[in-house]
Amino acid sequence: MRAPGRNPVVVVGAGLSGLACALHLLGAGREVVVLERDEHPGGRAGRLDRDGFLMDTGPTVLTMPELLEEAFGAVGETVADRLDLVPLTPAYRASFADGSKIDVHTDRDLMAAEVARAAGPREADGYLRLRDWLTRLYRVEMRSFIDAPVDSPLDLLRPDLVRLAALGGFGRLAPAVGRRVRDERLRRIFSFQSLYAGVAPEKALAAYAVISYMDTVAGVYFPKGGMRALGAAMAGAVTKAGGTVRLGDAVARLERRGDRVTAAVTESGERVPCDQVVVTADLPAAHRLLGHTPRRPVPLRHSPSAVVLHLGTDRTWEGLDHHTISFGRAWRGTFDEIIRQGRTMSDPSLLVTRPTRTDPSLAPDGHHLLYVLAPAPNLAAGRIDWEREGPRYRDHLVRVLEERGLSGLDASVRTEHMVTPADWARQGLAHGTPFSLAHTFAQTGPFRPRSTVPGTANAVLAGCGTTPGVGVPTVLISGKLAAARVVARTGG
């Protein structure tokens, strides 16, 4: 129920950060209206249905479900009320150019045994040391630097900063992992995640090993119905708790009076008055809506992008698990290709997701879905004409996968859809990347664009472009932190 004289909080965008924000705000007794341009909730956790195949077009890896639990719990619900989450065992299967495979288990003993089988008992001991380090790193970072507001460098001056430094968090990721495991395959398994943060393992801060913790220790899950189920479930909880979710009507502009946003005006012409506004759009779009031009001494650097190939096939392959990482022979040079040289990986490492292994209902009977993600340069780094080169690159990726064991892949395809950096740009994502700003040192923590906006007294940002950063867990936290800021501003 609306407090006398108080308008609702308007949340621009029904992505995961916006929906998490809405749930936490509703739990704090605020009235909330969520405005979304698309016809369905979820934001970058999007969907495409084609020929009976139900394709997830956004993230495919779900970790840290306790953050979802926290969001649902804000309105008295649980994850189990809305979602059927399946823990994946193994979390990943890693496939290498020499023909070897390592299953990545999140269970300590299972993974130690798998490492011993693949690389020997000495490496298994190293894995246990690495796991212990990852766990300690995660505990320090989560409580003080990830799940906490960090608005200025002074906010870093906490006891955990010393602990993080003592753990080597300000060193480099690849050497930190390499000091604990020597097998090159294991080094890749526990460091490739830095690419999610837009930085090569050799240059990423060791603190970003926390992403590896989420994948390889905390566990990987899959919601029945696909990742699209997350947005639908959260939007349903928002509505049940008394919030409003309006789909298919983008916010065209924000009305202002002095330093306050007074209303959101949609493309259909509807004016929605607001007391506070939370904007979760891609960062440049959010600043355009708010009429704000960021002032930074160094331009923002965006993460690499990705080519995603969605394939509906009439067969599958025994070597594929739910998530399979297909590593090429090349490693360090591939990051240089996409980040510095602005070209596609000549010997690509690929994430191949087969969601129908866990949920066959996502494809017609006897058919399967493949989601092939190939890291690629963003449009600022590369000068690739994707309209011309896209079909050629599609054929290249299919050939590579066939050479790596998916024989007959091309002939098995019954429907397909490819997304390139040019397509991401057409969706309004800056520089054609779904991964927003890279997590360089100058764009991490208090040096990342803040959730507050200079010149506005009642606007807050949430999503992957602000703190704490990119990834499903971090955008859920971003929404929670934005809600907390709104509540602190408005009292009660």
Side-chain angles (χ1 to χ4, degrees), residues 28-65:
R30 299 303 190 270
E31 184 180 0
V32 180
V33 177
V34 183
L35 303 175
E36 168 58 47
R37 67 178 181 178
D38 291 333
E39 297 293 340
H40 49 77
R44 296 184 201 197
R47 61 179 70 178
L48 174 69
D49 298 345
R50 178 169 291 184
D51 302 323
F53 294 87
L54 309 184
M55 304 172 182
D56 286 329
T57 59
T60 62
V61 178
L62 175 62
T63 62
M64 310 300 291

PDB file of all heavy atoms in Angstrom, residues 28-65:
ATOM      1  N   ALA A  28      11.060  -4.552   1.984  1.00  0.00           N
ATOM      2  CA  ALA A  28      11.245  -3.411   2.893  1.00  0.00           C
ATOM      3  C   ALA A  28      10.012  -2.516   2.948  1.00  0.00           C
ATOM      4  O   ALA A  28      10.057  -1.425   3.522  1.00  0.00           O
ATOM      5  CB  ALA A  28      12.463  -2.595   2.460  1.00  0.00           C
ATOM      6  N   GLY A  29       8.911  -2.967   2.331  1.00  0.00           N
ATOM      7  CA  GLY A  29       7.667  -2.226   2.424  1.00  0.00           C
ATOM      8  C   GLY A  29       7.476  -1.138   1.397  1.00  0.00           C
ATOM      9  O   GLY A  29       6.586  -0.286   1.551  1.00  0.00           O
ATOM     10  N   ARG A  30       8.270  -1.145   0.328  1.00  0.00           N
ATOM     11  CA  ARG A  30       8.126  -0.112  -0.696  1.00  0.00           C
ATOM     12  C   ARG A  30       7.176  -0.587  -1.802  1.00  0.00           C
ATOM     13  O   ARG A  30       7.098  -1.769  -2.106  1.00  0.00           O
ATOM     14  CB  ARG A  30       9.488   0.235  -1.323  1.00  0.00           C
ATOM     15  CG  ARG A  30      10.510   0.781  -0.345  1.00  0.00           C
ATOM     16  CD  ARG A  30       9.978   2.017   0.371  1.00  0.00           C
ATOM     17  NE  ARG A  30      10.995   2.694   1.145  1.00  0.00           N
ATOM     18  CZ  ARG A  30      11.282   2.441   2.418  1.00  0.00           C
ATOM     19  NH1 ARG A  30      10.601   1.505   3.071  1.00  0.00           N
ATOM     20  NH2 ARG A  30      12.214   3.113   3.051  1.00  0.00           N
ATOM     21  N   GLU A  31       6.487   0.375  -2.402  1.00  0.00           N
ATOM     22  CA  GLU A  31       5.715   0.069  -3.609  1.00  0.00           C
ATOM     23  C   GLU A  31       6.657   0.137  -4.794  1.00  0.00           C
ATOM     24  O   GLU A  31       7.486   1.069  -4.898  1.00  0.00           O
ATOM     25  CB  GLU A  31       4.566   1.064  -3.782  1.00  0.00           C
ATOM     26  CG  GLU A  31       3.678   0.727  -4.965  1.00  0.00           C
ATOM     27  CD  GLU A  31       2.531   1.709  -5.141  1.00  0.00           C
ATOM     28  OE1 GLU A  31       2.428   2.651  -4.333  1.00  0.00           O
ATOM     29  OE2 GLU A  31       1.757   1.535  -6.097  1.00  0.00           O
ATOM     30  N   VAL A  32       6.526  -0.810  -5.712  1.00  0.00           N
ATOM     31  CA  VAL A  32       7.496  -0.927  -6.806  1.00  0.00           C
ATOM     32  C   VAL A  32       6.770  -1.129  -8.133  1.00  0.00           C
ATOM     33  O   VAL A  32       5.838  -1.935  -8.227  1.00  0.00           O
ATOM     34  CB  VAL A  32       8.463  -2.103  -6.568  1.00  0.00           C
ATOM     35  CG1 VAL A  32       9.462  -2.213  -7.722  1.00  0.00           C
ATOM     36  CG2 VAL A  32       9.199  -1.949  -5.244  1.00  0.00           C
ATOM     37  N   VAL A  33       7.232  -0.414  -9.147  1.00  0.00           N
ATOM     38  CA  VAL A  33       6.800  -0.632 -10.520  1.00  0.00           C
ATOM     39  C   VAL A  33       8.043  -0.912 -11.361  1.00  0.00           C
ATOM     40  O   VAL A  33       8.979  -0.091 -11.383  1.00  0.00           O
ATOM     41  CB  VAL A  33       6.054   0.590 -11.093  1.00  0.00           C
ATOM     42  CG1 VAL A  33       5.692   0.358 -12.565  1.00  0.00           C
ATOM     43  CG2 VAL A  33       4.801   0.883 -10.281  1.00  0.00           C
ATOM     44  N   VAL A  34       8.052  -2.052 -12.022  1.00  0.00           N
ATOM     45  CA  VAL A  34       9.168  -2.428 -12.896  1.00  0.00           C
ATOM     46  C   VAL A  34       8.732  -2.233 -14.340  1.00  0.00           C
ATOM     47  O   VAL A  34       7.686  -2.746 -14.753  1.00  0.00           O
ATOM     48  CB  VAL A  34       9.592  -3.897 -12.664  1.00  0.00           C
ATOM     49  CG1 VAL A  34      10.801  -4.238 -13.533  1.00  0.00           C
ATOM     50  CG2 VAL A  34       9.907  -4.147 -11.193  1.00  0.00           C
ATOM     51  N   LEU A  35       9.524  -1.502 -15.113  1.00  0.00           N
ATOM     52  CA  LEU A  35       9.220  -1.224 -16.517  1.00  0.00           C
ATOM     53  C   LEU A  35      10.259  -1.911 -17.397  1.00  0.00           C
ATOM     54  O   LEU A  35      11.461  -1.687 -17.249  1.00  0.00           O
ATOM     55  CB  LEU A  35       9.234   0.281 -16.772  1.00  0.00           C
ATOM     56  CG  LEU A  35       8.274   1.118 -15.904  1.00  0.00           C
ATOM     57  CD1 LEU A  35       8.468   2.607 -16.173  1.00  0.00           C
ATOM     58  CD2 LEU A  35       6.831   0.714 -16.151  1.00  0.00           C
ATOM     59  N   GLU A  36       9.802  -2.741 -18.323  1.00  0.00           N
ATOM     60  CA  GLU A  36      10.695  -3.558 -19.149  1.00  0.00           C
ATOM     61  C   GLU A  36      10.328  -3.414 -20.624  1.00  0.00           C
ATOM     62  O   GLU A  36       9.156  -3.510 -20.993  1.00  0.00           O
ATOM     63  CB  GLU A  36      10.604  -5.024 -18.725  1.00  0.00           C
ATOM     64  CG  GLU A  36      11.251  -6.022 -19.657  1.00  0.00           C
ATOM     65  CD  GLU A  36      12.730  -5.751 -19.882  1.00  0.00           C
ATOM     66  OE1 GLU A  36      13.453  -5.521 -18.891  1.00  0.00           O
ATOM     67  OE2 GLU A  36      13.153  -5.781 -21.054  1.00  0.00           O
ATOM     68  N   ARG A  37      11.340  -3.207 -21.462  1.00  0.00           N
ATOM     69  CA  ARG A  37      11.082  -3.018 -22.894  1.00  0.00           C
ATOM     70  C   ARG A  37      10.698  -4.309 -23.597  1.00  0.00           C
ATOM     71  O   ARG A  37       9.949  -4.288 -24.578  1.00  0.00           O
ATOM     72  CB  ARG A  37      12.311  -2.416 -23.568  1.00  0.00           C
ATOM     73  CG  ARG A  37      13.517  -3.338 -23.593  1.00  0.00           C
ATOM     74  CD  ARG A  37      14.703  -2.733 -24.311  1.00  0.00           C
ATOM     75  NE  ARG A  37      15.827  -3.647 -24.336  1.00  0.00           N
ATOM     76  CZ  ARG A  37      16.988  -3.391 -24.927  1.00  0.00           C
ATOM     77  NH1 ARG A  37      17.170  -2.241 -25.538  1.00  0.00           N
ATOM     78  NH2 ARG A  37      17.956  -4.285 -24.894  1.00  0.00           N
ATOM     79  N   ASP A  38      11.239  -5.443 -23.152  1.00  0.00           N
ATOM     80  CA  ASP A  38      10.961  -6.710 -23.816  1.00  0.00           C
ATOM     81  C   ASP A  38       9.615  -7.280 -23.386  1.00  0.00           C
ATOM     82  O   ASP A  38       9.025  -6.852 -22.392  1.00  0.00           O
ATOM     83  CB  ASP A  38      12.075  -7.718 -23.530  1.00  0.00           C
ATOM     84  CG  ASP A  38      13.387  -7.342 -24.202  1.00  0.00           C
ATOM     85  OD1 ASP A  38      13.343  -6.658 -25.244  1.00  0.00           O
ATOM     86  OD2 ASP A  38      14.447  -7.729 -23.686  1.00  0.00           O
ATOM     87  N   GLU A  39       9.176  -8.291 -24.116  1.00  0.00           N
ATOM     88  CA  GLU A  39       7.881  -8.908 -23.829  1.00  0.00           C
ATOM     89  C   GLU A  39       7.958  -9.954 -22.733  1.00  0.00           C
ATOM     90  O   GLU A  39       6.943 -10.560 -22.381  1.00  0.00           O
ATOM     91  CB  GLU A  39       7.323  -9.554 -25.109  1.00  0.00           C
ATOM     92  CG  GLU A  39       7.034  -8.570 -26.224  1.00  0.00           C
ATOM     93  CD  GLU A  39       5.888  -7.614 -25.908  1.00  0.00           C
ATOM     94  OE1 GLU A  39       5.076  -7.946 -25.013  1.00  0.00           O
ATOM     95  OE2 GLU A  39       5.805  -6.551 -26.552  1.00  0.00           O
ATOM     96  N   HIS A  40       9.147 -10.177 -22.216  1.00  0.00           N
ATOM     97  CA  HIS A  40       9.317 -11.159 -21.141  1.00  0.00           C
ATOM     98  C   HIS A  40      10.385 -10.659 -20.190  1.00  0.00           C
ATOM     99  O   HIS A  40      11.264  -9.879 -20.571  1.00  0.00           O
ATOM    100  CB  HIS A  40       9.716 -12.530 -21.712  1.00  0.00           C
ATOM    101  CG  HIS A  40      10.858 -12.458 -22.687  1.00  0.00           C
ATOM    102  ND1 HIS A  40      12.164 -12.307 -22.294  1.00  0.00           N
ATOM    103  CD2 HIS A  40      10.874 -12.494 -24.042  1.00  0.00           C
ATOM    104  CE1 HIS A  40      12.938 -12.261 -23.358  1.00  0.00           C
ATOM    105  NE2 HIS A  40      12.188 -12.369 -24.439  1.00  0.00           N
ATOM    106  N   PRO A  41      10.323 -11.082 -18.918  1.00  0.00           N
ATOM    107  CA  PRO A  41      11.339 -10.656 -17.952  1.00  0.00           C
ATOM    108  C   PRO A  41      12.620 -11.470 -18.108  1.00  0.00           C
ATOM    109  O   PRO A  41      12.643 -12.519 -18.751  1.00  0.00           O
ATOM    110  CB  PRO A  41      10.669 -10.946 -16.603  1.00  0.00           C
ATOM    111  CG  PRO A  41       9.775 -12.109 -16.891  1.00  0.00           C
ATOM    112  CD  PRO A  41       9.283 -11.925 -18.301  1.00  0.00           C
ATOM    113  N   GLY A  42      13.701 -10.973 -17.508  1.00  0.00           N
ATOM    114  CA  GLY A  42      14.971 -11.702 -17.527  1.00  0.00           C
ATOM    115  C   GLY A  42      16.134 -10.907 -18.055  1.00  0.00           C
ATOM    116  O   GLY A  42      17.285 -11.228 -17.784  1.00  0.00           O
ATOM    117  N   GLY A  43      15.859  -9.863 -18.858  1.00  0.00           N
ATOM    118  CA  GLY A  43      16.953  -9.051 -19.375  1.00  0.00           C
ATOM    119  C   GLY A  43      17.893  -9.856 -20.251  1.00  0.00           C
ATOM    120  O   GLY A  43      17.461 -10.507 -21.218  1.00  0.00           O
ATOM    121  N   ARG A  44      19.170  -9.867 -19.898  1.00  0.00           N
ATOM    122  CA  ARG A  44      20.150 -10.592 -20.718  1.00  0.00           C
ATOM    123  C   ARG A  44      19.990 -12.097 -20.601  1.00  0.00           C
ATOM    124  O   ARG A  44      20.530 -12.836 -21.430  1.00  0.00           O
ATOM    125  CB  ARG A  44      21.563 -10.173 -20.322  1.00  0.00           C
ATOM    126  CG  ARG A  44      21.798  -8.707 -20.615  1.00  0.00           C
ATOM    127  CD  ARG A  44      23.207  -8.235 -20.340  1.00  0.00           C
ATOM    128  NE  ARG A  44      23.195  -6.795 -20.163  1.00  0.00           N
ATOM    129  CZ  ARG A  44      24.250  -6.017 -20.218  1.00  0.00           C
ATOM    130  NH1 ARG A  44      25.440  -6.557 -20.428  1.00  0.00           N
ATOM    131  NH2 ARG A  44      24.137  -4.714 -20.052  1.00  0.00           N
ATOM    132  N   ALA A  45      19.272 -12.545 -19.593  1.00  0.00           N
ATOM    133  CA  ALA A  45      18.903 -13.968 -19.525  1.00  0.00           C
ATOM    134  C   ALA A  45      17.681 -14.157 -20.418  1.00  0.00           C
ATOM    135  O   ALA A  45      16.560 -14.396 -19.968  1.00  0.00           O
ATOM    136  CB  ALA A  45      18.595 -14.367 -18.084  1.00  0.00           C
ATOM    137  N   GLY A  46      17.915 -14.010 -21.723  1.00  0.00           N
ATOM    138  CA  GLY A  46      16.833 -13.953 -22.695  1.00  0.00           C
ATOM    139  C   GLY A  46      16.434 -15.316 -23.236  1.00  0.00           C
ATOM    140  O   GLY A  46      16.917 -16.362 -22.798  1.00  0.00           O
ATOM    141  N   ARG A  47      15.557 -15.279 -24.241  1.00  0.00           N
ATOM    142  CA  ARG A  47      15.001 -16.524 -24.760  1.00  0.00           C
ATOM    143  C   ARG A  47      14.705 -16.379 -26.248  1.00  0.00           C
ATOM    144  O   ARG A  47      14.459 -15.291 -26.761  1.00  0.00           O
ATOM    145  CB  ARG A  47      13.721 -16.870 -24.017  1.00  0.00           C
ATOM    146  CG  ARG A  47      12.638 -15.803 -24.165  1.00  0.00           C
ATOM    147  CD  ARG A  47      11.359 -16.163 -23.432  1.00  0.00           C
ATOM    148  NE  ARG A  47      11.535 -16.101 -21.997  1.00  0.00           N
ATOM    149  CZ  ARG A  47      10.569 -16.328 -21.122  1.00  0.00           C
ATOM    150  NH1 ARG A  47       9.364 -16.653 -21.545  1.00  0.00           N
ATOM    151  NH2 ARG A  47      10.779 -16.241 -19.829  1.00  0.00           N
ATOM    152  N   LEU A  48      14.745 -17.499 -26.921  1.00  0.00           N
ATOM    153  CA  LEU A  48      14.366 -17.580 -28.327  1.00  0.00           C
ATOM    154  C   LEU A  48      13.765 -18.959 -28.549  1.00  0.00           C
ATOM    155  O   LEU A  48      14.400 -19.971 -28.243  1.00  0.00           O
ATOM    156  CB  LEU A  48      15.589 -17.380 -29.236  1.00  0.00           C
ATOM    157  CG  LEU A  48      15.343 -17.580 -30.736  1.00  0.00           C
ATOM    158  CD1 LEU A  48      14.466 -16.453 -31.274  1.00  0.00           C
ATOM    159  CD2 LEU A  48      16.663 -17.632 -31.499  1.00  0.00           C
ATOM    160  N   ASP A  49      12.544 -18.995 -29.045  1.00  0.00           N
ATOM    161  CA  ASP A  49      11.878 -20.265 -29.331  1.00  0.00           C
ATOM    162  C   ASP A  49      11.807 -20.444 -30.839  1.00  0.00           C
ATOM    163  O   ASP A  49      11.308 -19.574 -31.558  1.00  0.00           O
ATOM    164  CB  ASP A  49      10.461 -20.279 -28.736  1.00  0.00           C
ATOM    165  CG  ASP A  49      10.471 -20.156 -27.220  1.00  0.00           C
ATOM    166  OD1 ASP A  49      11.555 -20.348 -26.631  1.00  0.00           O
ATOM    167  OD2 ASP A  49       9.413 -19.864 -26.642  1.00  0.00           O
ATOM    168  N   ARG A  50      12.315 -21.582 -31.301  1.00  0.00           N
ATOM    169  CA  ARG A  50      12.366 -21.811 -32.749  1.00  0.00           C
ATOM    170  C   ARG A  50      12.176 -23.293 -33.041  1.00  0.00           C
ATOM    171  O   ARG A  50      12.932 -24.134 -32.536  1.00  0.00           O
ATOM    172  CB  ARG A  50      13.703 -21.309 -33.310  1.00  0.00           C
ATOM    173  CG  ARG A  50      13.885 -21.550 -34.789  1.00  0.00           C
ATOM    174  CD  ARG A  50      15.088 -20.796 -35.327  1.00  0.00           C
ATOM    175  NE  ARG A  50      14.852 -19.351 -35.334  1.00  0.00           N
ATOM    176  CZ  ARG A  50      15.722 -18.470 -35.835  1.00  0.00           C
ATOM    177  NH1 ARG A  50      16.870 -18.879 -36.344  1.00  0.00           N
ATOM    178  NH2 ARG A  50      15.451 -17.180 -35.810  1.00  0.00           N
ATOM    179  N   ASP A  51      11.150 -23.605 -33.829  1.00  0.00           N
ATOM    180  CA  ASP A  51      10.908 -24.981 -34.291  1.00  0.00           C
ATOM    181  C   ASP A  51      10.821 -25.971 -33.142  1.00  0.00           C
ATOM    182  O   ASP A  51      11.286 -27.120 -33.255  1.00  0.00           O
ATOM    183  CB  ASP A  51      12.001 -25.412 -35.279  1.00  0.00           C
ATOM    184  CG  ASP A  51      12.092 -24.495 -36.484  1.00  0.00           C
ATOM    185  OD1 ASP A  51      11.027 -24.032 -36.954  1.00  0.00           O
ATOM    186  OD2 ASP A  51      13.211 -24.210 -36.937  1.00  0.00           O
ATOM    187  N   GLY A  52      10.243 -25.550 -32.034  1.00  0.00           N
ATOM    188  CA  GLY A  52      10.094 -26.442 -30.891  1.00  0.00           C
ATOM    189  C   GLY A  52      11.298 -26.496 -29.975  1.00  0.00           C
ATOM    190  O   GLY A  52      11.266 -27.193 -28.954  1.00  0.00           O
ATOM    191  N   PHE A  53      12.367 -25.768 -30.287  1.00  0.00           N
ATOM    192  CA  PHE A  53      13.564 -25.698 -29.451  1.00  0.00           C
ATOM    193  C   PHE A  53      13.477 -24.433 -28.593  1.00  0.00           C
ATOM    194  O   PHE A  53      13.244 -23.340 -29.120  1.00  0.00           O
ATOM    195  CB  PHE A  53      14.829 -25.651 -30.299  1.00  0.00           C
ATOM    196  CG  PHE A  53      15.095 -26.912 -31.080  1.00  0.00           C
ATOM    197  CD1 PHE A  53      14.540 -27.097 -32.342  1.00  0.00           C
ATOM    198  CD2 PHE A  53      15.905 -27.911 -30.555  1.00  0.00           C
ATOM    199  CE1 PHE A  53      14.786 -28.255 -33.068  1.00  0.00           C
ATOM    200  CE2 PHE A  53      16.165 -29.074 -31.272  1.00  0.00           C
ATOM    201  CZ  PHE A  53      15.595 -29.253 -32.530  1.00  0.00           C
ATOM    202  N   LEU A  54      13.659 -24.579 -27.287  1.00  0.00           N
ATOM    203  CA  LEU A  54      13.565 -23.449 -26.363  1.00  0.00           C
ATOM    204  C   LEU A  54      14.969 -23.022 -25.969  1.00  0.00           C
ATOM    205  O   LEU A  54      15.619 -23.642 -25.119  1.00  0.00           O
ATOM    206  CB  LEU A  54      12.752 -23.851 -25.123  1.00  0.00           C
ATOM    207  CG  LEU A  54      11.394 -24.507 -25.397  1.00  0.00           C
ATOM    208  CD1 LEU A  54      10.653 -24.773 -24.094  1.00  0.00           C
ATOM    209  CD2 LEU A  54      10.537 -23.656 -26.337  1.00  0.00           C
ATOM    210  N   MET A  55      15.463 -21.966 -26.592  1.00  0.00           N
ATOM    211  CA  MET A  55      16.857 -21.567 -26.464  1.00  0.00           C
ATOM    212  C   MET A  55      17.014 -20.454 -25.438  1.00  0.00           C
ATOM    213  O   MET A  55      16.289 -19.458 -25.481  1.00  0.00           O
ATOM    214  CB  MET A  55      17.391 -21.081 -27.813  1.00  0.00           C
ATOM    215  CG  MET A  55      17.262 -22.086 -28.941  1.00  0.00           C
ATOM    216  SD  MET A  55      17.713 -21.346 -30.541  1.00  0.00           S
ATOM    217  CE  MET A  55      17.417 -22.738 -31.658  1.00  0.00           C
ATOM    218  N   ASP A  56      17.970 -20.611 -24.535  1.00  0.00           N
ATOM    219  CA  ASP A  56      18.408 -19.520 -23.660  1.00  0.00           C
ATOM    220  C   ASP A  56      19.448 -18.716 -24.416  1.00  0.00           C
ATOM    221  O   ASP A  56      20.435 -19.279 -24.902  1.00  0.00           O
ATOM    222  CB  ASP A  56      19.034 -20.065 -22.372  1.00  0.00           C
ATOM    223  CG  ASP A  56      18.006 -20.626 -21.404  1.00  0.00           C
ATOM    224  OD1 ASP A  56      16.871 -20.123 -21.391  1.00  0.00           O
ATOM    225  OD2 ASP A  56      18.344 -21.565 -20.667  1.00  0.00           O
ATOM    226  N   THR A  57      19.255 -17.416 -24.499  1.00  0.00           N
ATOM    227  CA  THR A  57      20.181 -16.595 -25.283  1.00  0.00           C
ATOM    228  C   THR A  57      21.179 -15.824 -24.433  1.00  0.00           C
ATOM    229  O   THR A  57      22.019 -15.101 -24.964  1.00  0.00           O
ATOM    230  CB  THR A  57      19.402 -15.592 -26.158  1.00  0.00           C
ATOM    231  OG1 THR A  57      18.610 -14.756 -25.306  1.00  0.00           O
ATOM    232  CG2 THR A  57      18.496 -16.324 -27.132  1.00  0.00           C
ATOM    233  N   GLY A  58      21.086 -15.959 -23.105  1.00  0.00           N
ATOM    234  CA  GLY A  58      21.998 -15.246 -22.223  1.00  0.00           C
ATOM    235  C   GLY A  58      22.900 -16.185 -21.451  1.00  0.00           C
ATOM    236  O   GLY A  58      23.409 -17.164 -22.006  1.00  0.00           O
ATOM    237  N   PRO A  59      23.113 -15.923 -20.171  1.00  0.00           N
ATOM    238  CA  PRO A  59      24.006 -16.780 -19.387  1.00  0.00           C
ATOM    239  C   PRO A  59      23.476 -18.201 -19.296  1.00  0.00           C
ATOM    240  O   PRO A  59      22.260 -18.433 -19.280  1.00  0.00           O
ATOM    241  CB  PRO A  59      24.023 -16.097 -18.005  1.00  0.00           C
ATOM    242  CG  PRO A  59      22.755 -15.315 -17.953  1.00  0.00           C
ATOM    243  CD  PRO A  59      22.501 -14.860 -19.354  1.00  0.00           C
ATOM    244  N   THR A  60      24.389 -19.148 -19.225  1.00  0.00           N
ATOM    245  CA  THR A  60      23.999 -20.552 -19.092  1.00  0.00           C
ATOM    246  C   THR A  60      24.512 -21.171 -17.799  1.00  0.00           C
ATOM    247  O   THR A  60      24.139 -22.303 -17.476  1.00  0.00           O
ATOM    248  CB  THR A  60      24.542 -21.387 -20.270  1.00  0.00           C
ATOM    249  OG1 THR A  60      25.975 -21.348 -20.267  1.00  0.00           O
ATOM    250  CG2 THR A  60      24.012 -20.867 -21.600  1.00  0.00           C
ATOM    251  N   VAL A  61      25.379 -20.459 -17.087  1.00  0.00           N
ATOM    252  CA  VAL A  61      25.990 -20.995 -15.868  1.00  0.00           C
ATOM    253  C   VAL A  61      25.378 -20.293 -14.666  1.00  0.00           C
ATOM    254  O   VAL A  61      25.462 -19.059 -14.543  1.00  0.00           O
ATOM    255  CB  VAL A  61      27.521 -20.811 -15.880  1.00  0.00           C
ATOM    256  CG1 VAL A  61      28.132 -21.339 -14.581  1.00  0.00           C
ATOM    257  CG2 VAL A  61      28.133 -21.532 -17.086  1.00  0.00           C
ATOM    258  N   LEU A  62      24.768 -21.053 -13.779  1.00  0.00           N
ATOM    259  CA  LEU A  62      24.152 -20.505 -12.573  1.00  0.00           C
ATOM    260  C   LEU A  62      24.907 -21.010 -11.352  1.00  0.00           C
ATOM    261  O   LEU A  62      25.018 -22.215 -11.129  1.00  0.00           O
ATOM    262  CB  LEU A  62      22.679 -20.922 -12.475  1.00  0.00           C
ATOM    263  CG  LEU A  62      21.953 -20.511 -11.183  1.00  0.00           C
ATOM    264  CD1 LEU A  62      21.908 -19.000 -11.050  1.00  0.00           C
ATOM    265  CD2 LEU A  62      20.540 -21.097 -11.155  1.00  0.00           C
ATOM    266  N   THR A  63      25.435 -20.081 -10.569  1.00  0.00           N
ATOM    267  CA  THR A  63      26.111 -20.411  -9.315  1.00  0.00           C
ATOM    268  C   THR A  63      25.492 -19.579  -8.186  1.00  0.00           C
ATOM    269  O   THR A  63      24.700 -18.673  -8.426  1.00  0.00           O
ATOM    270  CB  THR A  63      27.621 -20.115  -9.394  1.00  0.00           C
ATOM    271  OG1 THR A  63      27.815 -18.713  -9.625  1.00  0.00           O
ATOM    272  CG2 THR A  63      28.284 -20.908 -10.519  1.00  0.00           C
ATOM    273  N   MET A  64      25.857 -19.902  -6.966  1.00  0.00           N
ATOM    274  CA  MET A  64      25.451 -19.149  -5.775  1.00  0.00           C
ATOM    275  C   MET A  64      23.933 -18.997  -5.663  1.00  0.00           C
ATOM    276  O   MET A  64      23.405 -17.886  -5.548  1.00  0.00           O
ATOM    277  CB  MET A  64      26.117 -17.769  -5.757  1.00  0.00           C
ATOM    278  CG  MET A  64      27.618 -17.783  -5.975  1.00  0.00           C
ATOM    279  SD  MET A  64      28.492 -18.736  -4.705  1.00  0.00           S
ATOM    280  CE  MET A  64      28.239 -17.687  -3.298  1.00  0.00           C
ATOM    281  N   PRO A  65      23.172 -20.093  -5.689  1.00  0.00           N
ATOM    282  CA  PRO A  65      21.711 -19.969  -5.607  1.00  0.00           C
ATOM    283  C   PRO A  65      21.234 -19.359  -4.293  1.00  0.00           C
ATOM    284  O   PRO A  65      20.088 -18.921  -4.208  1.00  0.00           O
ATOM    285  CB  PRO A  65      21.227 -21.411  -5.768  1.00  0.00           C
ATOM    286  CG  PRO A  65      22.385 -22.261  -5.356  1.00  0.00           C
ATOM    287  CD  PRO A  65      23.601 -21.510  -5.790  1.00  0.00           C
TER     288      PRO A  65
END
